[in-house]
Amino acid sequence: MSERRIGVALSGSHAAALLGQIERAEQAGIQAVWMTTGGARLDSYHDLCGGRWEDESDYVRDIHCPHFPTPPLGHGATGAGSGTASSRTIPSGVGPSHRPSMVGMGMNFRAPLGHLREYLQILKALLQTGKVDFDGTYYRAHETIPEPLDVPVMASALQPKSFELCGAESDGAISWVCPGEYLRDVALPTMRAGAEQAGRPVPPLIAHAPVCVHDNSDEVRTAIREQVTNPRLPFYQRMFAAAGFSEASNGTWSDAMIEATALYGNESQVAAKIEGLFEMGATEILVSPIGAGRDRADSVHRTLRLVAQVSQSVQT
């Protein structure tokens, strides 16, 4: 089984500020930082590969880059460039995103899992072997790079078929707002089935969850509803329905959904919930800090301090 790890999702509108967050997170003892690429937001590859953090392995990671807007060879060229522009490569996560988002960008959103399967096959071949010769249903790719790179290529997953695909093709499945019991009872079994059919080991499961260290539960629930993705998109509604929360069809967070998904409470309570998510089968936990109450910055700081403490404990 892969080593346990805890990372934090960071965001920012300016590269310099983001790099400052990364350096502070590393100094605090947090094991990994992640960033989402998409739309007109900062490009994690270009803005992060020049950072001067000390860890030269996979300390900085890309959560999710929507694959429809960028051809796989374009993504692969950027990933290969990260290995020559700095002393490290940046592990990458790709995924289909959601129909409204992609249609809004002018993309033809069709057969998302079929596209994702071929995208993963091309990207892994190019980056990890240095050469790809591929003619598929959705993509063609014939290219080489100077040398292979030791870089994992992961994918986002919400529903059973996407977790199964990750088991068969990816170097890790990245969830988002999936209840822990759903990951244990649905995601992991389908990942194992996909891996077994492909004749390969089961890849890591990265459980991405909102986390808030704060003493007032009502204020936490208010913050979750304000700051975390509303379950209005079909992929989220189907996932929550499969997890036993039919009320997600209303497009809002119920108290029960928040309780099953968010890790919140005081320091000891959140530490116990993080451990519980590991026990349910997560290899890595990706924390999205949530600010709650009148002083949101204080709860974010409490959250990051707790994450750093727990990070140290899982390493020993």
Side-chain angles (χ1 to χ4, degrees), residues 243-285:
F245 300 96
S246 59
E247 68 267 31
S249 61
N250 295 327
T252 58
W253 285 97
S254 68
D255 287 354
M257 290 163 60
I258 293 174
E259 184 66 30
T261 301
L263 313 181
Y264 69 92
N266 61 31
E267 281 80 0
S268 62
Q269 290 170 328
V270 173
K273 291 178 180 181
I274 290 174
E275 177 60 29
L277 201 49
F278 279 128
E279 291 177 355
M280 288 184 186
T283 308
E284 182 165 351
I285 295 173

Side-chain angles (χ1 to χ4, degrees), residues 28 41 115 119 165 176 217 239 278 282 289 296 304:
R41 293 188 295 275
H115 279 83
Y119 204 102
L165 173 59
W176 170 230
S217 297
M239 180 274 291
F278 279 128
R296 292 188 170 184
L304 292 177

Side-chain angles (χ1 to χ4, degrees), residues 2 9 21 28 45 48 92 96-97 102 121 141 144 153 165 176 185 227 240 252 260 306 310-311:
S2 300
Q21 291 182 56
Y45 277 119
L48 301 183
S92 177
S97 186
M102 292 297 97
Q121 291 170 346
T144 61
V153 179
L165 173 59
W176 170 230
D185 299 337
Q227 299 173 45
F240 275 115
T252 58
L306 184 278
V310 177
S311 295

Side-chain angles (χ1 to χ4, degrees), residues 277-301:
L277 201 49
F278 279 128
E279 291 177 355
M280 288 184 186
T283 308
E284 182 165 351
I285 295 173
L286 172 54
V287 170
S288 276
I290 302 298
R294 291 184 178 181
D295 189 351
R296 292 188 170 184
D298 179 68
S299 63
V300 169
H301 291 154

Side-chain angles (χ1 to χ4, degrees), residues 49 51 53 55-57 82-89:
C49 70
W53 47 91
D55 187 343
E56 296 186 356
S57 58
S82 78
T84 57
S86 71
S87 59
R88 66 193 65 77
T89 56

Side-chain angles (χ1 to χ4, degrees), residues 39 69 97-109:
S97 186
H98 299 268
R99 183 179 299 277
S101 301
M102 292 297 97
V103 171
M105 294 178 65
M107 301 291 106
N108 181 7
F109 190 87

Side-chain angles (χ1 to χ4, degrees), residues 34-49:
W34 298 66
M35 179 183 171
T36 297
T37 300
R41 293 188 295 275
L42 290 176
D43 183 323
S44 58
Y45 277 119
H46 290 105
D47 287 296
L48 301 183
C49 70

